[in-house]
Amino acid sequence: MHNFDWYHLSFLILAAILDIVANVFLKYSNGFKNKIFGTLSILFVLIAFSCLAEAVKAIDLSVAYALWGGFGLIATTLAGWLLFEQQLNWRGWLGVAGLIVGMTLLKFA
């Protein structure tokens, strides 16, 4: 990362949070049958991408996208478990652990 600062990191964190919320709304939309949640899902994805666009002004795209996607996947997995009682098998959790290791390595690249 060049010109790393908390301003751009905060946009990356916000982008990840908004992406997670969008994914939860997508699940609640029931395949867009519930138009309100479907519309909210699209809106939150658009805002998340706007935040990501701000973050990549100072964070390398490959690092920002990997962190955004990785944190989004991990948190969405946890949200699915807590909100919808969806569970991963051991291979799924091994994959999540691999993502955490990969994101950590990217941070120090």
Side-chain angles (χ1 to χ4, degrees):
M1 287 190 260
H2 54 81
N3 298 330
F4 172 83
D5 59 33
W6 286 104
Y7 174 80
H8 293 96
L9 181 62
S10 66
F11 273 100
L12 182 59
I13 292 167
L14 183 58
I17 291 168
L18 292 169
D19 184 51
I20 296 157
V21 173
N23 291 332
V24 170
F25 284 158
L26 184 62
K27 175 68 175 169
Y28 280 129
S29 79
N30 192 24
F32 287 96
K33 290 178 182 162
N34 184 323
K35 304 273 190 249
I36 293 171
F37 282 116
T39 302
L40 285 172
S41 177
I42 292 169
L43 178 65
F44 274 67
V45 166
L46 291 173
I47 298 169
F49 267 95
S50 297
C51 290
L52 183 62
E54 186 65 26
V56 298
K57 288 180 178 178
I59 302 171
D60 291 342
L61 177 62
S62 60
V63 173
Y65 189 79
L67 291 174
W68 174 65
F71 284 129
L73 178 80
I74 292 166
T76 300
T77 300
L78 292 173
W81 178 50
L82 295 171
L83 298 173
F84 309 112
E85 298 180 11
Q86 299 171 342
Q87 296 186 7
L88 293 178
N89 60 26
W90 68 270
R91 288 183 203 111
W93 286 113
L94 184 63
V96 170
L99 280 171
I100 293 170
V101 169
M103 290 179 343
T104 304
L105 290 174
L106 273 173
K107 170 67 175 112
F108 296 110

